[in-house]
Amino acid sequence: MAPHTEQLTAPAVRLAGLTRSFDGRTVLDGVDLELPAGQFTALLGHSGSGKSTLLRAVAGLDHEVEGGGELTAPERVSVVFQDSRLLPWRRVLDNVLLGAEGKEAAERGRAALAEVGLAGRERAWPSELSGGEAQRAALARSLVREPELLLADEPFGALDALTRIRMHGLLRELWKRHRPSVLLVTHDVDEAIVLADRVLVLENGRIGLDLTIDRPHPRSYRDPLLGEYRERLLAALGVTEDLA
Amino acid sequence: MSTTTTTTTSAAAAPPPAAGAPGVRRRTRRSLSPGKRLPAAGLIGPLAVLALWAAASAAGRLDPGAIPAPWTVLRTAGHLWTEGTLATDVATSLRRAAYGFAIGLTAGVVLALASGLSRVGEALIDGTVQLNRAIPTLGLIPLFILWLGIGETFKIAIIAIVVYIPVYLNTHAALSGIDSRFVELAEVQGLSRLAFVRRIVVPGALPGFFVGLRLGVTGSWLGLVVLEQINATSGLGYMMFQATNYGQSDVILVGLLIYGVFGLVSDSAVRLVERRVLSWRRTLNS
């Protein structure tokens, strides 16, 4: 077979026995994980369960953290943080182009802004954007780099509920069009179920549950079949839904 | 005629709401803000003082030996400018301040960059500057006279030191106070070290730099005044000091007036540049 097919089947991210600890407290205790190229994965966990530690390890942002294990990640990785992290002294387009140079990049930047619905706001200052708009600009910034892997650390955590639902649709849309591997870290079970095709639960420093969600998109929160997934995930998180 | 008046201004004596129009009743709350700013608010106080001064002088209530009338001061200024040494004195003073300021500004920025961007630089420079800061710069005057003589070099050196300290301190604090979230962002976006400094560190430190710059400008005038009044044979301060000996209060006032103009113009210039460079901040303040 052509090497092209081989590339497609190769995992985008591979973790083997990944450990990370802070001041002797083990946060990641030998995580084994493979993310196939182009898969939309969500990572759930309690706060403090090490979700962000895992994401930062994959992003290569954990400089002074103890730990070992094997980690393979693609060359082009983008990260979307919980805050939009736009530089207040650069206009929106210049923020999107941070780290991408040249005329051709500027065109891609405009296109990315248009894709997230911010066409015409290129010259705005970040302080003039609403929270949702700022987060969309951050998404555009991550797209410009044409990432093979998109890491998102609770990207909608600071948004209001209505904006969040709209952003869910946008993220899924962008994923469909560009097909990066996505690792979405979240503490919101519903968000994970609605967006991802595979949901992982991080528990005691390891992947406690690995669940494939086989439902068509777009999904609705009210889909009763998603309820089963929700229950299993909540159980894995140690939450029992007592509705009595 | 309309009964649906919805007052949005801070009318203190709101009329009782028109009867028969329920739903449009709206009582404006008493406004606690001081209200709209008066036009040319910054000038009213000074002009009042000037008027008072002129009136008191005209009425003969002020001792002309201590506080001469405004027109006397103006006449003296004109006289000194055309026939005296005022023009050269002003030029001398300005030259001192400008050289000292330029050197101090450059030194402050260069040292702050060296110390803010490298750990070795920080180890070498920061402690030294902090030590330097602990010694009041004007206290260095005797030593500097011994080292550099009483000429221009010594005056420029002292002014430069007065200027570089606030410029260094504020710029360095701003450089080392860069938000770690932005450092992370730069890493994620794959910025080179140079690009990181140019696009994130320097623009992020500019507000701090401008605080230092304004303190530096003020400092340069302060240093100038002190130096010219104790150890000079030319310049504005010298002119004023001589005037003390002859009891010429009008000459002293002319000197003060010119110092005031210097300070006002230079501060406005810095503000103007600051507004231009930090235009992204305006959206926050307005």
Side-chain angles (χ1 to χ4, degrees):
Chain A
M1 262 304 194
H4 181 67
T5 349
E6 220 170 79
Q7 253 182 350
L8 275 178
T9 50
V13 179
R14 211 174 71 81
L15 313 180
L18 193 77
T19 58
R20 290 290 184 270
S21 58
F22 296 93
D23 300 323
R25 195 174 65 87
T26 304
V27 176
L28 298 181
D29 188 13
V31 175
D32 298 308
L33 178 64
E34 284 195 359
L35 299 183
Q39 192 177 50
F40 198 128
T41 312
L43 178 64
L44 280 171
H46 295 284
S47 49
S49 62
K51 324 186 275 294
S52 291
T53 309
L54 184 89
L55 180 131
R56 295 168 61 82
V58 177
L61 286 173
D62 50 353
H63 302 296
E64 279 148 28
V65 183
E66 299 161 55
E70 267 180 64
L71 193 157
T72 329
E75 182 67 28
R76 294 195 309 275
V77 179
S78 283
V79 183
V80 183
F81 301 94
Q82 181 169 2
D83 57 310
S84 62
R85 225 164 272 203
L86 299 174
L87 299 168
W89 50 83
R90 310 196 94 199
R91 294 179 190 274
V92 168
L93 181 61
D94 293 331
N95 259 295
V96 168
L97 293 177
L98 186 71
E101 305 291 328
K103 228 185 162 142
E104 182 257 349
E107 277 316 303
R108 267 189 294 145
R110 278 175 213 285
L113 277 174
E115 256 192 287
V116 300
L118 285 179
R121 305 302 304 273
E122 289 87 355
R123 301 270 304 153
W125 294 109
S127 55
E128 294 166 336
L129 301 184
S130 70
E133 285 175 324
Q135 206 56 338
R136 278 191 269 158
L139 266 177
R141 181 179 59 200
S142 73
L143 282 182
V144 166
R145 301 164 48 73
E146 295 175 340
E148 296 159 83
L149 172 64
L150 178 65
L151 300 168
D153 192 357
E154 308 210 3
F156 313 127
L159 302 177
D160 64 90
L162 291 176
T163 312
R164 199 178 311 156
I165 292 172
R166 230 175 289 147
M167 293 291 288
H168 286 163
L170 176 63
L171 180 60
R172 190 72 203 184
E173 182 83 3
L174 293 173
W175 171 78
K176 222 158 63 186
R177 214 172 305 151
H178 300 272
R179 286 285 165 166
S181 314
V182 174
L183 182 61
L184 170 77
V185 165
T186 177
H187 59 254
D188 183 341
V189 176
D190 288 324
E191 181 170 285
I193 296 173
V194 162
L195 282 176
D197 299 315
R198 180 185 178 196
V199 182
L200 309 166
V201 175
L202 194 63
E203 206 181 30
N204 299 325
R206 294 180 188 214
I207 304 297
L209 181 65
D210 187 340
L211 199 63
T212 304
I213 300 194
D214 198 8
R215 296 289 301 152
H217 286 275
R219 295 172 185 160
S220 156
Y221 284 103
R222 292 185 305 273
D223 184 345
L225 283 169
L226 289 179
E228 284 174 39
Y229 292 110
R230 182 182 298 117
E231 260 164 52
R232 287 188 62 188
L233 288 168
L234 286 173
L237 288 163
V239 183
T240 44
E241 237 176 340
D242 199 352
L243 298 169
Chain B
M1 73 171 273
S2 153
T3 51
T4 60
T5 33
T6 49
T7 11
T8 49
T9 52
S10 57
V24 292
R25 271 181 61 171
R26 185 195 286 179
R27 248 183 45 212
T28 326
R29 291 191 184 278
R30 182 198 300 267
S31 166
L32 292 176
S33 83
K36 257 193 194 156
R37 191 160 287 196
L38 299 174
L43 288 176
I44 293 174
L47 285 178
V49 172
L50 191 65
L52 205 67
W53 177 16
S57 295
R61 307 294 298 238
L62 290 176
D63 172 10
I67 308 175
W71 43 89
T72 318
V73 174
L74 282 183
R75 202 181 316 125
T76 309
H79 185 73
L80 284 172
W81 188 269
T82 48
E83 286 160 47
T85 55
L86 184 59
T88 38
D89 281 332
V90 168
T92 309
S93 293
L94 274 181
R95 195 167 51 239
R96 282 173 190 153
Y99 277 133
F101 179 74
I103 294 170
L105 179 65
T106 313
V109 170
V110 168
L111 288 173
L113 284 173
S115 152
L117 299 181
S118 98
R119 291 292 174 207
V120 178
E122 186 174 29
L124 285 173
I125 296 166
D126 196 50
T128 320
V129 177
Q130 299 292 347
L131 208 67
N132 188 181
R133 177 173 84 128
I135 305 165
T137 306
L138 299 178
L140 293 172
I141 290 176
L143 191 63
F144 270 58
I145 292 180
L146 272 187
W147 286 351
L148 301 172
I150 202 155
E152 292 301 292
T153 323
F154 132 76
K155 294 187 187 66
I156 291 169
I158 292 284
I159 293 175
I161 294 177
V162 172
V163 171
Y164 105 93
I165 288 178
V167 171
Y168 169 86
L169 288 177
N170 288 285
T171 312
H172 177 249
L175 283 171
S176 43
I178 289 291
D179 196 331
S180 63
R181 297 175 315 130
F182 290 150
V183 180
E184 229 173 60
L185 175 70
E187 292 173 5
V188 165
Q189 298 296 113
L191 293 192
S192 67
R193 194 163 167 76
L194 183 69
F196 169 59
V197 170
R198 274 184 52 198
R199 312 217 185 288
I200 297 186
V201 177
V202 168
L206 275 179
F209 162 75
F210 274 106
V211 174
L213 186 65
R214 277 165 70 176
L215 287 172
V217 169
T218 317
S220 69
W221 298 128
L222 181 72
L224 181 76
V225 172
V226 172
L227 287 166
E228 290 194 330
Q229 296 196 356
I230 1 175
N231 314 91
T233 51
S234 61
L236 272 180
Y238 173 72
M239 176 192 88
M240 290 159 71
F241 198 67
Q242 290 294 97
T244 314
N245 292 339
Y246 301 110
Q248 299 165 314
S249 57
D250 50 343
V251 176
I252 296 177
L253 281 175
V254 169
L256 287 178
L257 206 68
I258 294 173
Y259 275 143
V261 170
F262 282 178
L264 209 66
V265 169
S266 56
D267 195 55
S268 310
V270 173
R271 274 169 199 263
L272 193 75
V273 175
E274 188 177 354
R275 275 175 62 113
R276 288 248 166 142
V277 174
L278 302 184
S279 55
W280 55 271
R281 288 190 132 200
R282 244 181 305 178
T283 53
L284 297 178
N285 300 334
S286 66

